[in-house]
Amino acid sequence: MKFSENIQEVTLLQPDYLGFIFYPKSPRNFEGDIPTIPSSIKKVGVFVNASIDYVIEKVKQYDFKAIQLHGNESPVYCQELKTRCQSISNTKSNIEQQDQIKIWKVFSIKDSFDFSILTPYEAMVDYFLFDTKGKEKGGNGYTFDWSLLEGYPATTPFILSGGIGLDQIEAITSFMSRPESNYLYAIDVNSKFENAPGIKNIDDLEKFKKRVISQQT
């Protein structure tokens, strides 16, 4: 998300999360203030090879509930960040502490993927996010071959991302019938629902949500 009015329009659809990118090379790079949104919607800060101090600064500034790491961050980096985030949570009330800041680590997939690289991260992050490998760090607008997730060998839940739009609803339904979907935590949508970078098409998002829900009931 990027623009205040559009942010407020999207919140009316009650998504679980809203993402805010802090990467100057991205056309969706966020600057300014985030308008007040319902507490049920969790804010996610998206970073690419940023210093831990910078990430923590933004977490405190915007009260992020999740951190999406979209660069080459190491397991050691993730562990230090997790420890720093726990320190932030420990300064809050008992109720707030129950909502620990989650860490999502992105891995990009194209024609193949070596799942063994996930192993060192399993104890360090809360979720993996599988995106499509492309020219840009996300928002490339096309999907990877989800069949590569067949026999998913890890135990960390994952988020499915990469070029997901209205034309993927049947594929999502099919994926949900497969054993590896037991590890599917969320579906991340972005560029396929934009009128321009950072400006989401509300009508298409609403159609997507309704159709996905109807396919699962």
Side-chain angles (χ1 to χ4, degrees), residues 139-155:
N140 288 288
Y142 49 92
T143 61
F144 66 91
D145 182 359
W146 296 350
S147 68
L148 293 172
L149 295 172
E150 185 176 351
Y152 179 63
T155 57

Side-chain angles (χ1 to χ4, degrees), residues 31-56:
E31 296 178 323
D33 297 323
I34 298 175
T36 301
I37 65 175
S39 58
S40 60
I41 301 175
K42 298 178 182 180
K43 292 175 286 188
V44 183
V46 183
F47 303 90
V48 181
N49 297 325
S51 72
I52 290 178
D53 286 342
Y54 179 76
V55 175
I56 293 299

Side-chain angles (χ1 to χ4, degrees), residues 140-195:
N140 288 288
Y142 49 92
T143 61
F144 66 91
D145 182 359
W146 296 350
S147 68
L148 293 172
L149 295 172
E150 185 176 351
Y152 179 63
T155 57
T156 300
F158 62 81
I159 297 162
L160 196 58
S161 185
I164 297 174
L166 287 168
D167 53 352
Q168 267 74 51
I169 292 175
E170 287 188 12
I172 291 170
T173 302
S174 176
F175 186 85
M176 292 298 293
S177 67
R178 290 158 47 178
E180 55 268 27
S181 70
N182 292 331
Y183 293 98
L184 177 64
Y185 173 70
I187 296 173
D188 172 57
V189 299
N190 188 12
S191 61
K192 282 291 189 73
F193 291 92
E194 289 186 328
N195 296 328

